[in-house]
Amino acid sequence: MSPSDLGEYLKPFVFLDLFRADQATQRAMEARGGMPIHPHSGVATVTVITEGRMRFEDPEAGKGTIGYGGVEWMRAGGGVWHGKEMTTDDVPLIEGFQLWLALPEALENGPSESRYIEAADMPQTGPARVIVGEYNGVRSPVPAPEGINYLLVTLAAGETFTYAPPAGHTVGWLALAQGAIRTGASQPRAVAGDMVVFDDSGATIQVQASDDAPAVFVLGSAVPHPHPLHLGNYSVHTSAKALETGENRIKELGRTLKALGDRRTASGTVPVLR
């Protein structure tokens, strides 16, 4: 999903990427310098690990490991440069989702922040980790805007999960990392790599894993974002003026980044510049 296609329909969810890299791919990426440092403004990014582990090290946040169900939350707000704040641990496979959320007007050019929340500190209700928002009386520690839920769900083979969106959550979707599911007897089977978009009725969603394997997926629901999307290369804002402000701040930070030189930590991470 990107802001120029499904992101316009599913806003505030505007971008989704399922990443997966075995050790050979990880080594090849490292040989090329890994993920390049790049800017954002106007959005928050939510990175969830579904298999493997990543390490973080930040002077403000300390050190730790993000495994299954762990989260990196970064509110870009008025501007950040990032891309190397986490490194892959020694694992045979790293897999997860990165999601972008379009921020409301009050936050889109506001202060930036990062949180690294290890798996043990992420709350769970049934088979679901509550990554963003509140569900079944369980609230995520992620400081996201109100009106957004984002769950990471793992079902055993044949297991069923029922999700009742909160009132006003007429945006709904899910995306699979592993396994296969159906969302109704008459619906086609969805497999790893697929994304399922629900209608805007806000109706209860029922998901059943196939009988032959577990399923791992993320599910999002939200109150619709009320603004058109104004897009830059790495930015999403509510107006052309807000976009210009964000992009000017990114340029200013880019000059600062160049002047600071090598900011790598002992473990090889590069903290987010805000």
Side-chain angles (χ1 to χ4, degrees):
M1 169 172 64
S2 72
S4 59
D5 48 54
L6 279 178
E8 179 64 47
Y9 180 72
L10 294 174
K11 59 190 181 184
F13 307 103
V14 295
F15 174 90
L16 185 73
D17 179 46
L18 171 61
F19 56 87
R20 183 183 290 122
D22 59 18
Q23 284 188 319
T25 302
Q26 293 170 41
R27 287 193 292 269
M29 291 175 64
E30 289 169 4
R32 296 195 299 269
M35 170 74 75
I37 294 179
H38 57 279
H40 290 295
S41 67
V43 299
T45 68
V46 190
T47 304
V48 175
I49 304 301
T50 56
E51 187 165 338
R53 295 181 305 276
M54 298 192 78
R55 300 187 303 269
F56 67 88
E57 181 179 351
D58 186 286
E60 296 180 4
K63 301 178 183 180
T65 303
I66 303 292
Y68 170 86
V71 178
E72 181 204 15
W73 159 264
M74 186 194 70
R75 188 177 71 202
V80 299
W81 284 77
H82 85 137
K84 295 183 183 293
E85 67 271 27
M86 293 200 291
T87 58
T88 304
D89 209 347
D90 184 16
V91 291
L93 178 71
I94 184 71
E95 176 189 82
F97 287 98
Q98 185 176 93
L99 172 72
W100 296 5
L101 299 173
L103 292 172
E105 283 183 288
L107 296 175
E108 65 179 321
N109 277 313
S112 305
E113 68 170 352
S114 294
R115 299 278 182 93
Y116 303 89
I117 306 172
E118 297 187 74
D121 297 320
M122 291 302 299
Q124 188 166 354
T125 172
R129 299 285 183 108
V130 183
I131 305 301
V132 170
E134 182 175 358
Y135 187 62
N136 279 348
V138 175
R139 174 166 284 276
S140 168
V142 170
E146 293 297 318
I148 302 171
N149 279 359
Y150 185 48
L151 310 180
L152 171 63
V153 183
T154 296
L155 300 180
E159 186 178 3
T160 298
F161 175 70
T162 301
Y163 176 75
H169 282 222
T170 55
V171 173
W173 58 275
L174 66 78
L176 274 85
Q178 300 173 24
I181 56 101
R182 289 188 187 276
T183 57
S186 62
Q187 298 301 314
R189 187 171 182 260
V191 300
D194 285 348
M195 186 171 182
V196 178
V197 176
F198 300 103
D199 64 28
D200 60 2
S201 66
T204 296
I205 296 166
Q206 189 169 73
V207 181
Q208 183 171 17
S210 64
D211 292 331
D212 55 355
V216 179
F217 60 91
V218 288
L219 183 151
S221 74
V223 175
H225 183 70
H227 301 285
L229 302 180
H230 291 260
L231 310 180
N233 289 331
Y234 298 96
S235 304
V236 180
H237 285 273
T238 66
S239 68
K241 182 178 181 181
L243 175 62
E244 181 181 10
T245 299
E247 291 192 324
N248 285 340
R249 173 62 176 156
I250 282 171
K251 291 175 184 176
E252 178 185 337
L253 282 171
R255 291 190 289 269
T256 299
L257 181 69
K258 185 175 181 179
L260 288 172
D262 188 354
R263 299 173 60 244
R264 283 177 296 179
T265 66
S267 64
T269 67
V270 179
V272 177
L273 179 68
R274 57 179 60 83

